[in-house]
Amino acid sequence: MSWTAGPVRIGLAQWRPVPGAADANLATASELIARAGRARCNLVVMPELWPTGYDPATLAADIPAAAQPLDGPRGATLAQLAREHGLWLQAGSVPELDQGRRYNTAPLYSPDGRLVASHRKFHRYGPGGEPLAFDAGTGPTVFAPADGPAIGLAVCFDGDFPETGRSLRAAGARLVLEPAAYEYAAESWWERLYPAHALANGQWWVLANQAGGPVESGCFGRSRIISPRGDIVAEASRAAAGTQPEPELHVAEVDLGVGWEAADAEGSELFDERCEAPVAVVRGAVAYETAPQPAATA
């Protein structure tokens, strides 16, 4: 597959995983990946924490029960599915166990079943109870395949921050894959932040969200593909609060190369003229206080 010569077929998998039902959730994930294979998808993206579901009330207990090393049984199954169906598999995020520590980790598998990259979420979402359930990763992740563009990985709250998209772009990423468990209360952020990130950085953003559940802790779905011009070019269905929709695979064809060419032609000033000062320096600059001036005298 070429990432830039013609359309790429992308599958967005969204559903409401059942908290504490790791085996059933894996079965659903496996079926959606198989469905993507039958649909001849080149890439499939899954939601955040599909092995455990995302219930803030039980997350701290659900995660230890489902955490595994990336090369454990769940990882072996995901690698086999990627290989069997010959697709790039961004396997959402999974609870990773590494030397006694637990991380919210997004793995990426190549079509031959190799784990080629993994990203540990580094912005833990407090209202979801994540600081009690996970250790934090160290920062953004970029993978550069030999046959295509650099790919950035982020997990949900990571991507809310403009610095993440900018850091990924500075590292060469023009395609960002993000699994999410985005709740109803923050739907306006989903609507506004991510098109702006895509436009400001000339990137494709592919986001897969959980879908369904109660209004207090459920997610609205609307998994989407956003072009480097900030346009929503594909979107899965919205899950109404209090519902449990059937698992959905939304398939769309996009021409990544055409999108990048259009963004570069129309918005190069955003990329070429931007100050390259490190974020830490910029933060320091805006924190300076101007010394008070003496009052004018008559």
Side-chain angles (χ1 to χ4, degrees):
M1 182 200 84
S2 171
W3 292 91
T4 55
V8 174
R9 199 166 176 84
I10 300 175
L12 304 172
Q14 67 172 37
W15 80 102
R16 172 70 172 177
V18 180
D23 290 344
N25 294 333
L26 179 58
T28 300
S30 299
E31 170 53 32
L32 287 168
I33 295 167
R35 197 185 303 177
R38 293 192 294 270
R40 304 187 312 281
C41 290
N42 306 110
L43 166 69
V44 62
V45 182
M46 298 165 63
E48 180 181 16
L49 290 179
W50 58 264
T52 58
Y54 196 107
D55 184 342
T58 64
L59 191 68
D62 293 335
I63 295 305
Q68 298 180 11
L70 291 182
D71 59 358
R74 180 176 54 230
T77 298
L78 294 170
Q80 178 182 348
L81 287 164
R83 182 169 55 250
E84 177 181 347
H85 298 291
L87 47 73
W88 286 90
L89 173 59
Q90 196 297 294
S93 78
V94 300
E96 177 197 0
L97 180 64
D98 182 28
Q99 298 183 5
R101 294 181 178 273
R102 293 184 292 269
Y103 300 94
N104 185 351
T105 300
L108 178 65
Y109 297 89
S110 65
D112 61 4
R114 289 179 298 119
L115 176 64
V116 294
S118 61
H119 168 73
R120 292 170 171 170
K121 187 175 185 178
F122 62 106
H123 290 98
R124 296 171 297 174
Y125 189 54
E130 293 181 26
L132 300 176
F134 297 108
D135 288 285
T138 56
T141 300
V142 175
F143 166 70
D147 60 347
I151 298 171
L153 298 174
V155 176
C156 203
F157 197 37
D158 286 338
D160 288 357
F161 297 91
E163 294 90 345
T164 297
R166 180 55 191 152
S167 296
L168 291 171
R169 174 62 199 256
R174 306 278 322 252
L175 170 64
V176 182
L177 311 180
E178 178 175 309
Y182 229 94
E183 75 270 38
Y184 291 103
E187 190 168 1
S188 63
W189 292 15
W190 184 264
E191 188 63 38
R192 297 167 184 166
L193 285 175
Y194 288 91
H197 295 342
L199 174 64
N201 296 296
Q203 293 163 323
W204 287 95
W205 281 70
V206 181
L207 304 102
N209 194 23
Q210 290 194 23
V215 67
E216 310 84 41
S217 61
C219 301
F220 51 79
R222 297 182 67 195
S223 301
R224 50 177 38 183
I225 302 173
I226 308 172
S227 81
R229 300 170 69 187
D231 298 323
I232 314 302
V233 299
E235 184 171 89
S237 60
R238 185 183 190 279
T243 65
Q244 189 83 11
E246 289 296 312
E248 178 181 354
L249 180 75
H250 187 84
V251 177
E253 286 191 353
V254 297
D255 194 316
L256 301 177
V258 168
W260 289 318
E261 289 174 4
D264 290 346
E266 297 174 9
S268 61
E269 292 83 0
L270 283 172
F271 323 132
D272 298 339
E273 305 300 329
R274 181 178 294 174
C275 174
E276 294 297 333
V279 170
V281 173
V282 174
R283 284 178 173 163
V286 299
Y288 292 156
E289 297 181 1
T290 301
Q293 300 297 313
T297 57

